[in-house]
Amino acid sequence: MNELTAEGRAVLIEGVGLILWRWTAMRAAVENGWGGRDSQAKADGTVSTVFKFLIQSQDPARDIETLGDILDKGLDELNTTAEDGSVDEVANTLIDLYEDCCNHNYEMLEELRATRSQATASVVKVSNGNDEESDDEDEDNDQTTDMMVEASNQKPEVMPVDEPAADDGWTVVSSRKNKGKRN
């Protein structure tokens, strides 16, 4: 395997960031603030730790269990647990990215960049430790759909709930366009 060049390092750090940000467990933890106010900083720290591990390890592929431990620790800092095998899947993807970068093959990064704005479905079970275990076994699907999620750029709207209930038990909720005015 070739040495990691300066260009390869730049590609590697960007790719690590994209892979971890698209990992459902990591992204959900950050977006929901499960790690507290500094959830994003904790996730960024995991990106940095993974990058340092990859460039300092003599053979990251051989040390993949250590990489998995780093990913688990990163989720632990965000009060999150991935019980779906995605830690191993993400670790393998990171090793693939590292090896590609050492061989001056940056196609994976290009694919990650290209899918950045595409919404992708996910079947990953995400837990912040407050729910019961699940035995979903959909892990063998395409990696990009299993571990990548793109949320829409829209913020969730707060829906008014103080409207009087109709006779049938339903509550009338105003549309966003009416800004609270009833038709």
Side-chain angles (χ1 to χ4, degrees), residues 11-179:
V11 169
L12 181 63
I13 189 68
E14 182 181 355
V16 168
L18 287 171
I19 289 168
L20 293 185
W21 180 242
R22 290 169 183 215
W23 183 19
T24 304
M26 180 78 62
R27 186 169 186 150
V30 171
E31 287 179 345
N32 292 301
W34 294 340
R37 287 187 216 180
D38 59 345
S39 292
Q40 182 63 57
K42 290 176 180 178
D44 292 343
T46 302
V47 170
S48 178
T49 302
V50 166
F51 175 72
K52 288 176 187 172
F53 166 79
L54 291 172
I55 61 172
Q56 292 175 354
S57 175
Q58 296 296 320
D59 186 1
R62 187 187 72 221
D63 297 332
I64 196 163
E65 285 185 34
T66 303
L67 180 56
D69 291 344
I70 292 169
L71 296 173
D72 276 329
K73 183 179 179 205
L75 289 182
D76 285 345
E77 290 176 0
L78 294 166
N79 299 313
T80 306
T81 304
E83 301 171 338
D84 59 354
S86 64
V87 170
D88 293 337
E89 191 174 319
V90 171
N92 282 316
T93 302
L94 290 165
I95 295 297
D96 290 345
L97 175 68
Y98 171 78
E99 290 173 350
D100 284 354
C101 288
C102 287
N103 292 316
H104 314 289
N105 177 358
Y106 308 127
E107 289 178 22
M108 183 184 290
L109 179 67
E110 293 303 320
E111 291 172 15
L112 290 168
R113 286 175 178 163
T115 60
R116 181 182 317 186
S117 62
Q118 295 175 358
T120 317
S122 174
V123 295
V124 175
K125 167 80 170 95
V126 177
S127 168
N128 67 352
N130 294 329
D131 51 355
E132 296 179 19
E133 288 189 33
S134 175
D135 292 331
D136 294 337
E137 296 295 332
D138 294 326
E139 300 161 8
D140 294 331
N141 294 345
D142 179 55
Q143 284 184 1
T144 55
T145 56
D146 277 356
M147 66 182 199
M148 294 181 186
V149 167
E150 283 290 331
S152 97
N153 292 332
Q154 299 176 357
K155 300 278 185 203
E157 294 292 324
V158 177
M159 297 187 351
V161 292
D162 57 347
E163 295 284 335
D167 290 337
D168 59 2
W170 290 90
T171 302
V172 178
V173 179
S174 303
S175 75
R176 184 175 173 196
K177 291 180 183 177
N178 292 337
K179 297 184 181 179

Side-chain angles (χ1 to χ4, degrees), residues 3 126 151 176 182-183:
E3 280 290 314
V126 177
R176 184 175 173 196
R182 293 188 70 176
N183 288 343

